[in-house]
Amino acid sequence: MIHIDLFSGIGGFALAAKWMGWHTPVFCEIMDFPRKVLQHHFPDSYIHGDIRTLNKNIIQKAINERIKSNWGGKIQSSQVAFRASLLVRSF
């Protein structure tokens, strides 16, 4: 399952998602210190700095890059594409 974390803070929801076996490929947090904490705990994830500039294309690109490089087939790209498309429709 894919979890996109907006207004992330230090990643409490992403940590809970990780415990459930979900992946968080994209975070969005504007504050510097929480971004550093996220980078430390989730080094393979993309961290976007401003919700006002985050869009569907950025999210889809980040998810696709992480599927190819980091998750090594643990998640099928068709499952991710479907779930991600449902998410970004609400944007």
Side-chain angles (χ1 to χ4, degrees):
M1 179 71 73
I2 296 295
H3 169 248
I4 307 296
D5 201 346
L6 307 176
F7 309 102
S8 302
I10 59 171
F13 286 109
L15 181 59
K18 185 176 181 179
W19 291 341
M20 296 187 322
W22 296 7
H23 297 278
T24 306
V26 180
F27 290 91
C28 188
E29 175 56 51
I30 199 166
M31 302 296 291
D32 289 332
F33 178 73
R35 288 172 55 103
K36 289 177 185 175
V37 173
L38 292 170
Q39 183 64 42
H40 175 76
H41 290 288
F42 301 94
D44 296 330
S45 295
Y46 171 71
I47 304 170
H48 194 79
D50 191 345
I51 193 73
R52 295 172 291 186
T53 60
L54 184 64
N55 61 43
K56 175 182 176 178
N57 296 330
I58 293 170
I59 293 171
Q60 288 179 334
K61 181 179 177 185
I63 289 171
N64 289 336
E65 287 174 359
R66 272 125 196 101
I67 289 171
K68 291 176 186 173
S69 65
N70 300 330
W71 298 337
K74 292 180 185 175
I75 297 176
Q76 293 183 8
S77 59
S78 60
Q79 293 174 330
V80 173
F82 175 72
R83 291 185 178 125
S85 69
L86 291 177
L87 171 75
V88 291
R89 284 183 199 157
S90 62
F91 245 108

